[in-house]
């Protein structure tokens, strides 16, 4: 897996998963633009990569605006001459149930995750198309966007939309040889370590040094490093034919999500009145109703 002629931007890479992606890309030879709002963690991420023999620079700026997206692409081109890989990872949470969620809670999350993904990918694609030799777009989604999650109107909306954009970009960018994929990771980071159903296992792992198999395999949750390989793989030549896909990764599990498909259908001449639907509901649709939310092992939800 040789990325030594490649240049990557990883947003939100001062810590957590973004840092693990940046380190892994650099370890495979890519030059990396580290981005974060936190200058201390961004500088230390650069130092880490450079100390390990890699190439990295920092652009400290809040992802969301076009101005930041342009600064990130400019940072890659000025420091390393080009841009091949854009990883949109920066993110925040402002969790509240719908009826308590403020406009600010909603806008803050949409701005970083959804607008930030849009602006960064748009600017990256402008440069990749100009360069004329393809590229890689890797957008970070979440199981919460795929299935919904209690208390996460803003976040699940943004993350679901990111996967929707990825499917559209896969179509729009195929001719330019640019792939677009989504990765939905699950890892122990500042964002997840206090989630109540995970907390007892994460706490225990501080003593034992490892999460148990139920977490690593059934929940699919591990360290940020466990989730980094898929990003480098998607960035590589080996993944040149993979586009428009959504992966889940975490702990010992790597998985591919299906796209939404019609799961039950029925036909009625001249369309469907409410009474027609009521008459056919039980026979044609009842058994096909979908579950919502992530499905966790009973051991976790019983605690
Ligand atoms: N940890 C998980 O299990 C998990 C699960 C699903 C999705 N994700 C996604 O993975 C990504 C990384 O999450 P993490 O768990 O490493 O979280 P984290 O909080 O440890 O790291 C997020 C990083 O993004 C930075 N950041 C926040 N706002 C920013 C902005 N506007 N511009 C630039 N940087 C900004 C933060 O300073 C931080 O360094 C996020 O998109 C998150 O939604 C994480």
């Amino acid at each position: 897996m040789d990325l030594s002629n490649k240049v990557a931007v990883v947003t939100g890479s001062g810590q957590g998963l973004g840092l693990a992606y940046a380190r892994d890309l650099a370890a495979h030879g890519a030059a990396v633009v580290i981005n974060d709002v936190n200058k201390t963690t961004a500088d230390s991420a650069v130092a880490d990569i450079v100390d390990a023999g890699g190439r990295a620079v920092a652009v400290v700026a809040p992802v969301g605006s076009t101005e930041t997206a342009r600064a990130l692409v400019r940072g890659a081109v000025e420091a390393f001459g080009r841009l091949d890989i854009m990883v949109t990872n920066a993110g925040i949470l402002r969790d509240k149930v719908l009826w308590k969620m403020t406009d600010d809670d909603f806008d803050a999350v949409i701005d970083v995750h959804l607008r930030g993904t849009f602006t960064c990918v748009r600017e990256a694609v402008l440069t990749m198309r100009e360069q004329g030799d393809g590229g890689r777009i890797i957008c970070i989604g979440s199981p919460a966007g795929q299935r919904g999650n209690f208390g996460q109107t803003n976040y699940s909306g943004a993350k679901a939309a990111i996967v929707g954009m990825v499917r559209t970009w896969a179509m729009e960018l195929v001719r330019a040889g640019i792939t677009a994929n989504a990765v939905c990771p699950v890892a122990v980071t500042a964002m997840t370590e206090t989630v109540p159903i995970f907390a007892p296992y994460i706490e225990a792992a501080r003593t034992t040094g490892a999460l148990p198999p139920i977490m690593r395999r059934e929940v699919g949750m591990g360290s940020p490093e466990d989730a980094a390989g898929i990003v480098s793989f998607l960035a590589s030549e080996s993944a040149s034919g993979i586009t428009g896909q959504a992966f889940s990764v975490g702990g010992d599990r790597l998985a591919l999500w299906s796209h939404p498909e019609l799961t039950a259908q029925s036909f009625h001449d001249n369309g469907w009145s409410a009474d027609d639907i009521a008459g056919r509901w039980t026979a044609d649709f009842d058994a096909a109703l979908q579950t919502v939310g992530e499905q966790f092992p009973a051991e976790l939800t019983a605690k």
Side-chain angles (χ1 to χ4, degrees), residues 129-147:
R129 281 171 56 91
E130 236 172 69
Q131 290 171 172
D133 45 14
R136 297 285 187 271
I137 304 300
I138 302 165
C139 298
I140 304 306
S142 168
Q146 305 292 88
R147 307 258 335 157

Side-chain angles (χ1 to χ4, degrees), residues 68 83 107 157 169 206-207 228 263 296:
T68 292
L83 176 65
D107 290 346
W169 295 336
R206 289 192 218 289
T207 325
T263 188
F296 292 115

Side-chain angles (χ1 to χ4, degrees), residues 65-289:
S65 67
T66 297
E67 191 190 356
T68 292
R70 288 190 178 144
L72 293 176
V73 174
R74 201 166 51 239
V77 173
E78 281 175 7
F80 306 117
R82 55 184 292 111
L83 176 65
D84 304 283
I85 303 153
M86 172 59 78
V87 184
T88 57
N89 163 85
I92 56 168
L93 295 179
R94 295 280 186 278
D95 292 0
K96 275 176 201 150
V97 284
L98 171 63
W99 55 96
K100 294 186 179 163
M101 188 168 284
T102 65
D103 288 6
D104 283 350
D105 296 327
F106 185 79
D107 290 346
V109 168
I110 294 296
D111 187 57
V112 185
H113 289 276
L114 185 53
R115 175 167 284 275
T117 298
F118 160 65
T119 55
C120 288
V121 172
R122 183 181 54 184
E123 293 310 309
V125 161
L126 284 168
T127 293
M128 289 172 185
R129 281 171 56 91
E130 236 172 69
Q131 290 171 172
D133 45 14
R136 297 285 187 271
I137 304 300
I138 302 165
C139 298
I140 304 306
S142 168
Q146 305 292 88
R147 307 258 335 157
N149 197 19
F150 195 98
Q152 295 197 311
T153 293
N154 45 9
Y155 184 76
S156 61
K159 291 301 202 187
I162 286 169
V163 178
M165 295 197 298
V166 158
R167 293 189 198 111
T168 294
W169 295 336
M171 297 166 76
E172 293 180 348
L173 299 175
V174 70
R175 261 209 208 162
I178 302 169
T179 67
N181 291 287
V183 173
C184 303
V186 183
V188 179
T189 67
M191 197 176 266
T192 48
E193 62 191 357
T194 56
V195 173
I197 59 168
F198 301 151
Y201 296 95
I202 294 171
E203 192 48 45
R206 289 192 218 289
T207 325
T208 61
L211 285 168
I214 190 170
M215 292 296 283
R216 293 192 56 84
R217 288 184 170 247
E218 290 181 53
V219 176
M221 180 176 210
S223 68
E225 290 71 27
D226 291 329
I230 183 71
V231 170
S232 298
F233 170 73
L234 289 172
S236 75
E237 282 310 311
S238 307
S240 60
I242 303 171
T243 192
Q245 305 301 308
F247 296 88
S248 250
V249 66
D252 296 334
R253 185 172 73 186
L254 174 65
L256 183 63
W257 286 93
S258 65
H259 293 322
E261 296 289 350
L262 302 181
T263 188
Q265 55 184 329
S266 187
F267 298 92
H268 188 272
D269 288 343
N270 303 315
W272 288 87
S273 71
D275 283 341
D276 296 333
I277 296 170
R280 295 269 287 275
W281 180 263
T282 309
D284 293 353
F285 294 103
D286 223 14
L289 285 178

